[in-house]
Amino acid sequence: METARFVEILDTEGQLLAAAAEQAGTDAKVPTCPDWQVRDLVRHVGAVHRWAASYVAERHTSPQRLGDLTDLDGGDLLTWFREGHRTLVDTLAAAPPDVECWSFLPAPSPLAFWARRQAHETAVHRVDAQSALGTAPSPLAPDFATDGIDELLLGFHARAKSRARTDEPRVLRVRATDRDDAVWTVRLSSEPPAAERTTDQADQAAPEADCEVTGSAAALYLALWNRQPFPGVNGDPALAALWQEKSAV
């Protein structure tokens, strides 16, 4: 996916998040994040947006501390959120493609990294905001959801800090039923997960899975981010349960 597309999605997702938060009210509970109320969600995402924008705008080449969370609430909090979201979108849209700054996952460029990461960050938390309304979340495009699974399995969980591990080697397969190019084989062990993506045809040569989770790319995206149960589980359900217990990032 192109950087410009990620920026467009970030723009839309942030607006949806703010609208859901405003409709739910900042004291509403967030079922997908049981320890949070909507105000906690909005404060967190708003701080992350400002933190991310600062890397691109100020060309930081080393990690920076996330700023203190605001104590604003109600309408003032939502105004603050919308201002920070707009600044992030505009900063990414205006940045030169070769801008140099710090990033923390492999990407074609720092700008591509930040656009992608913030689009997914905001999409997942938009789902959280909509959960406070008790309604089904707005749909996610299959290609965007597929990219988000790539980012999670091939990026986040390739890092040493991943806690998704098993005492004995196990294989988890993730299969999107609405795409023929979205099958992931995740080898779990005492080391960080080792994942690879294949097609429906190519995965025939992959090792047999101890557990396979299936569903649309969007449903798997949300399940892998622990926002909903896995749509379909074949094989050892304990392995799917272990993933949802240990995979928070």
Side-chain angles (χ1 to χ4, degrees), residues 176-192:
T177 54
D178 56 346
R179 294 179 65 95
D180 60 8
D181 63 345
V183 181
W184 295 263
T185 297
V186 186
R187 292 174 173 82
L188 296 166
S189 69
S190 60
E191 299 296 321

Side-chain angles (χ1 to χ4, degrees), residues 11-82:
D11 193 355
T12 298
E13 293 292 341
Q15 293 182 52
L16 288 171
L17 191 160
E22 186 169 36
Q23 185 177 348
T26 56
D27 60 348
K29 294 288 188 181
V30 181
T32 51
C33 300
D35 294 334
W36 276 359
Q37 293 174 289
V38 167
R39 65 172 58 87
D40 302 306
L41 173 67
V42 174
R43 287 168 179 167
H44 167 76
V45 183
V48 170
H49 282 175
R50 286 165 167 78
W51 174 77
S54 73
Y55 283 102
V56 178
E58 300 171 28
R59 311 301 201 259
H60 294 304
T61 56
S62 61
Q64 304 295 305
R65 188 179 67 86
L66 184 68
D68 294 335
L69 300 185
T70 181
D71 59 2
L72 293 172
D73 203 352
D76 291 340
L77 175 60
L78 291 170
T79 296
W80 173 86
F81 172 84
R82 288 183 168 111

Side-chain angles (χ1 to χ4, degrees), residues 116-188:
R116 179 196 204 192
R117 175 81 290 278
Q118 290 309 298
H120 289 297
E121 174 85 8
T122 307
V124 170
H125 285 312
R126 180 267 294 170
V127 171
D128 293 332
Q130 291 181 334
S131 79
L133 297 173
T135 59
S138 301
L140 292 159
D143 62 338
F144 177 68
T146 300
D147 178 83
I149 298 172
D150 273 343
E151 186 200 43
L152 183 64
L153 297 182
L154 306 180
F156 276 106
H157 284 290
R159 301 186 301 170
K161 61 178 64 177
S162 174
R163 297 190 307 114
R165 306 187 186 210
T166 56
D167 293 333
E168 298 294 331
R170 307 295 299 280
V171 174
L172 174 69
R173 183 155 296 121
V174 178
R175 185 184 304 275
T177 54
D178 56 346
R179 294 179 65 95
D180 60 8
D181 63 345
V183 181
W184 295 263
T185 297
V186 186
R187 292 174 173 82
L188 296 166

Side-chain angles (χ1 to χ4, degrees), residues 234-249:
N234 300 295
D236 184 1
L239 193 54
L242 180 141
W243 177 272
Q244 295 203 302
E245 177 187 354
K246 300 290 188 181
S247 65
V249 298

